[in-house]
Each structure stands twice: as structure tokens, then as C-alpha cells.
Amino acid sequence: MPKRLISAIARLLPTFIVLFVLAWLALHTTPSPLRGKPAAYPLTETLSPEQRLAQDLALADPRVQAFTTGRRSEVFGVRRIRNDVPASAAECRQPNTDCRQVELYIFDEDAAVVAIVNLTTRTVLDVFYQPGVHPGINKRLAELAQTIAMNAPEVQQALGFRPTSVDMAPVDADMIDSVCEEGHLCVGPTFRVGNRILWAIVDLTDEQLVGTNWTSVAPDGTSITFTAQACPQPGTIQRDGWSLSYETTSTDGLRIFDVSFYTHTLLTSAKLIEWHVDYGTTGFRDSTGCGNDGGGFTIAPYGETEIRDLRDANDVYLGFEVVQDFRMEEWGASCNYRYEQHMQFFTDGRFRIVGGAYGRGCSTNPIYRPVMRIDVAIDGDDHDTLRTSNDNGQTWTLATSEAWWLQNTPTTDWIISDTLTNTAYRIIPAEPGMFSPEERGDYAYLYLTRHHPDEGDSDLGVLGSCCNDNHQQGPELFIDGESTTDTNLVLWYVPQMQTDANGDDANGFYCWTVNGEPTPEAYPCFAGPLFEPLTPIARPQQHMFLPLIQHTP
């Protein structure tokens, strides 16, 4: 071979090698979640074969691609689902059907994309685009948030040392007057120093620290470490004229559905989407549920769902309630929350949707705001109408479009009814001492929206702000002026409970735990609306219910 040719090849060889390596990398490297990439970034951590198949089917769906192509988007989780699905995915409720909810997030649009996948038939049943909503973060983002927080000079300066771990995982959090209120995805890992908590709010949209905040906590009470158990068994109940089903969802707490009283249907479903815990400058948005292999940090159920008798102070039987307890692993210690849900049903046709907070929080003064979604179905889904009154029911105004109200006076009143049958229920928010001497009133926001499947029929992601002191609690995202006359309506109810950690004042402890297990001393705060029939509901002689409670596998 001529020396000149050998010399030319030698000069070009490095270029050929570089081109070969670049071509190989293009074919074999996993796409990064950088802005502007053509497809959503998949979960790359350990997935079960079923999760991977559901993710592959979702990412290949043209509807998902239409939302995510060319946008900075990422898969946050792949959850198992059972009954908490829209009508378009009703087949998921059939026995031996394996369905998954694939949850994606579009960073630049602050929007979730949710795909419901039937693995049994390998089909994508529905796809939702949810602006202002985000799923629970995945492991990659949780680790990134911790790294950003621990390496931030502001955190190291505030602590006086460089931390090597966080004391609380980076759960959904906010900081007022920051980008967190402008559609950025924020989480809040915390660091404990004595009886002080340093919050490090991290913006995962721009991948940087937003700011820090200190709160003070009381000395810890006793606690026993709790290990999350299996998801409670779902079940059905036929008792006292009532017929209903219940299940613990992935992140929307305890859900009741298909609720009727004798021949009258009353609820399609009711559940508690999330808890907002407001510490003033910063705060959390807590989700309760089984998780079911999805993203985020849900507060797990503690024990099976219970069915309890309701009795008055004289031990007179009033009805029954469906109760689910949710606890963090060291309830009793600071920053370890406990929540309960009570779905109450009375023999006279009344029912009440209740949420309860026990604390103990990351300071002594948080405000708790549970976000309840109540899909009413008075004698069916299609003819709901809401009327409002501000003068103790002397005059009534028809709510003709989506709106919100604040329970700011005792005269606030609402009636939900069916326009064809005239069956009507008065919605009664709790006033101080109404249900027990300890209850201090709801001071609730009520939101009226027209039903849309993508607004909570399936497990809903995180919405709203932790720390707004106005109506901007999340459900306002779904208010856009649609007609609410003679149609399918959804009520959102957000009460407000202020913690009282001073047991020596006139009212005593409230939303507070002194000790957890094994010697619990707790003073929970409960809130929620009572639905009361305006006229007695007839009990047909031929319609008899046995007191049957049945768990379904």
C-alpha cells in the first residue's frame, strides 16, 4: 500500500472512530428528560413486567404523543387501579381484569397526562390532559431534589454544616410569593435540628433551590414505628336501607361509590383528594392511600376499613359509618401526620362526609384543609340543581353556572336536588359544637362544577396550593363558566381547621397529638358537610335490606 494512502487513512481514522461512537450512542443511549426532546422520558428504575408493558402502551398511544411530543415530559408513575375509573374504563371493574394508570407530567405546561391502560386486552382506554395538576414525583426526581437541597449553599449556611441526608422525603410543598405559585413543580425536603425544622423548597421545573424556612416543633411524644400494610380490602354494605360500596384508592383516600337509600340514588362517589397543611410561608400537600406502585409519598392506611355503629350520648342507635385510618410511620413524633375518613349514614336518610386530622405537624400552628370531591347523583346523575341562600332559607337563588362560596356566616345555606323527582337535600356545614363539643366549625369553601371524567373520576394528582388563605385551594381550576342547571354536578368541599397545641387555654388541644402508640393521647379535628333530606324518604314495604357487610377480593 502506498505510504501516501497509509498516511491519509491514519489522519482520517480518529474522525471515523468519533463518528462511529456517536452513531452507536444515538442507537443505544436512553433519551434524557431535557427540554425539547421528541418523546416523554420513561421510567427507567426497576419496573415489573406489567408496569413496563403499561408504560410502553401509553407512550405509543397517539393521544399521549400529541400532548407530549416536543415538550419536556416524563413518566412519574404506573399505578394499579380497580374501581376508581371513569365510565370509559368501566371494563377495568370486571373480575380478572388488570388495569394500570400511567401518569406523566409536562413541566413547561404544569399539566398531567393520564393514560388508563387495560393490560388484559393491551389497549389504552382513555387519555386525560389535566392542566394545573401533577402526579406524585418519581424516584429520580426525589433523589434529585434531595441532592439539590443538600448541596445548596443556603441550606448549608442555615444548618451550619453540610447535610448528608434529609429527615423528611421531598413531598409536595409550596412557598408563597415564589415560582411554586406560578406553575412550577415544587417539593420540600426538610432537616431537623433539635426542635427546629429547616424547610428546603426545591423547584424541579428549573432544578434549583427556591428558598428556606424555619419552623419550631414541640418535643416529640411517644411513638411506635408503623410499617405500611397491604391495601385494605374493598367491600359492599347493605344496611338500614343503605346500599353502597367502598375502597381505599391509590392517592384519593377512602372512596365510597354507588350510594343509595332505599329506592333513591344519592352519590356516584365521594372521596378525599388531598390534605393541604398550611404553615404560613411554606406547607405540604398530603395524599392518603395505598400508593399502588405509583409515584409520590402517600400516607398509608393503618389497618382494614372498619364499619362502626353510630350512637348518640344516650347510646341510641343512629346508623353506621365507614372508617379508614391513615398514619405516617412514627405518628406521635413531629412531622408525622395521621388522618381519618368517616363516611356516616343515618337511619333517617341523612349522610355526612367527614375528614379528620390528628397532627402532629412540623410546627404547633398549621391549618388543615382537606379537599373533598362529592359526585352527587340525587335520583340519578343527570338532573342535579343547586340553590343557595344567605338569609336562613327565606329566599333562594338558582346556581346557573359553576361557582364557589365561602361559609362566612351561619346563614349560608345550600340545597342540591333533582329537577324531575324534586328529591332535595340540604347541605349543612358544621358550625361550632354542632356535632360534638370539640368541633369548632368548618368555615368551608364549597365549589360547584359540571361533571367531567378528567376532573377526578379516576385517581387525581396533586392540585391547588398548600397555603392560600382564599378560595384558591385547587377545585377552582375546574370552574370555567359552564352551565350547572339540570345536569350532572360535582361538589367540592374544603373546610378549614386551625391547630391548637395549647392544652391549657379555654378550648384545649385541637388537631393535635400529645402521644402516639402505645399510649395514644390525641385531640383530632373533624370537619365535613351533612346532607339532610328536606322531606322524609319513603321506605317501601317490599324493599328490605338485611344488615349485610361483604368484603370483595
Side-chain angles (χ1 to χ4, degrees), residues 20 125 139 174 251 280 360 406 440 454 472 552:
F20 174 80
L125 302 177
K139 180 180 178 182
D174 290 313
T251 66
R360 161 190 298 216
L406 173 63
R440 303 184 186 180
D454 58 344
Q472 294 177 317
T552 55

Side-chain angles (χ1 to χ4, degrees), residues 105-400:
Y105 182 66
I106 305 175
F107 287 84
D108 295 335
E109 299 177 12
D110 184 33
V113 174
V114 173
I116 299 177
V117 180
N118 185 338
L119 290 184
T120 306
T121 60
R122 298 198 173 196
T123 55
V124 179
L125 302 177
D126 212 340
V127 175
F128 297 148
Y129 176 80
Q130 300 170 327
V133 178
H134 70 265
I137 63 172
N138 57 30
K139 180 180 178 182
R140 184 192 79 82
L141 290 168
E143 292 175 347
L144 174 61
Q146 294 178 72
T147 300
I148 292 171
M150 291 187 295
N151 290 321
E154 300 94 326
V155 171
Q156 297 176 18
Q157 181 178 1
L159 293 173
F161 59 90
R162 186 187 184 283
T164 57
S165 63
V166 301
D167 288 296
M168 176 178 262
V171 300
D172 287 288
D174 290 313
M175 176 171 279
I176 63 172
D177 299 326
S178 75
V179 294
C180 302
E181 297 184 314
E182 300 170 3
H184 285 224
L185 175 60
C186 292
V187 295
T190 62
F191 306 87
R192 182 166 181 174
V193 181
N195 285 336
R196 302 179 72 204
I197 303 290
L198 179 68
W199 300 59
I201 306 301
V202 175
D203 172 14
L204 288 172
T205 301
D206 289 340
E207 299 184 358
Q208 62 183 4
L209 184 77
V210 174
T212 61
N213 179 46
W214 284 100
T215 56
S216 297
V217 296
D220 286 343
T222 59
S223 63
I224 291 179
T225 300
F226 156 61
T227 302
Q229 302 161 319
C231 195
Q233 288 294 309
T236 59
I237 301 174
Q238 289 184 332
R239 176 172 170 175
D240 300 332
W242 291 95
S243 175
L244 61 100
S245 299
Y246 62 87
E247 68 173 345
T248 302
T249 65
S250 296
T251 66
D252 289 351
L254 174 67
R255 171 179 176 260
I256 55 170
F257 56 102
D258 297 340
V259 179
S260 62
F261 184 61
Y262 291 101
T263 58
H264 295 269
T265 61
L266 296 177
L267 293 172
T268 298
S269 69
K271 56 185 180 178
L272 202 160
I273 302 296
E274 64 195 27
W275 287 84
H276 296 170
V277 191
D278 179 0
Y279 293 97
T281 302
T282 51
F284 293 129
R285 288 170 288 183
D286 288 337
S287 296
T288 57
C290 298
N292 290 329
D293 303 322
F297 298 90
T298 54
I299 297 177
Y302 182 83
E304 289 292 320
T305 307
E306 297 183 28
I307 314 300
R308 303 175 183 171
D309 287 353
L310 285 172
R311 296 182 179 274
D312 66 12
N314 297 316
D315 201 35
V316 175
Y317 180 75
L318 302 177
F320 67 95
E321 61 179 349
V322 186
V323 180
Q324 183 61 57
D325 193 354
F326 300 90
R327 303 185 188 185
M328 290 183 67
E329 62 181 15
E330 294 184 6
W331 170 64
S334 295
C335 288
N336 276 261
Y337 300 94
R338 176 184 174 186
Y339 300 112
E340 280 187 350
Q341 284 180 256
H342 294 242
M343 306 295 192
Q344 300 177 333
F345 303 92
F346 299 84
T347 57
D348 59 5
R350 292 177 298 157
F351 62 94
R352 189 180 179 209
I353 311 300
V354 182
Y358 284 69
R360 161 190 298 216
C362 293
S363 82
T364 58
N365 64 344
I367 299 172
Y368 292 91
R369 299 185 178 98
V371 181
M372 304 175 182
R373 181 184 186 268
I374 306 169
D375 187 354
V376 292
I378 308 298
D379 285 338
D381 260 331
D382 296 331
H383 298 283
D384 301 326
T385 294
L386 185 77
R387 290 175 286 161
T388 68
S389 174
N390 288 316
D391 56 9
N392 286 317
Q394 298 300 310
T395 58
W396 292 92
T397 302
L398 180 67
T400 58

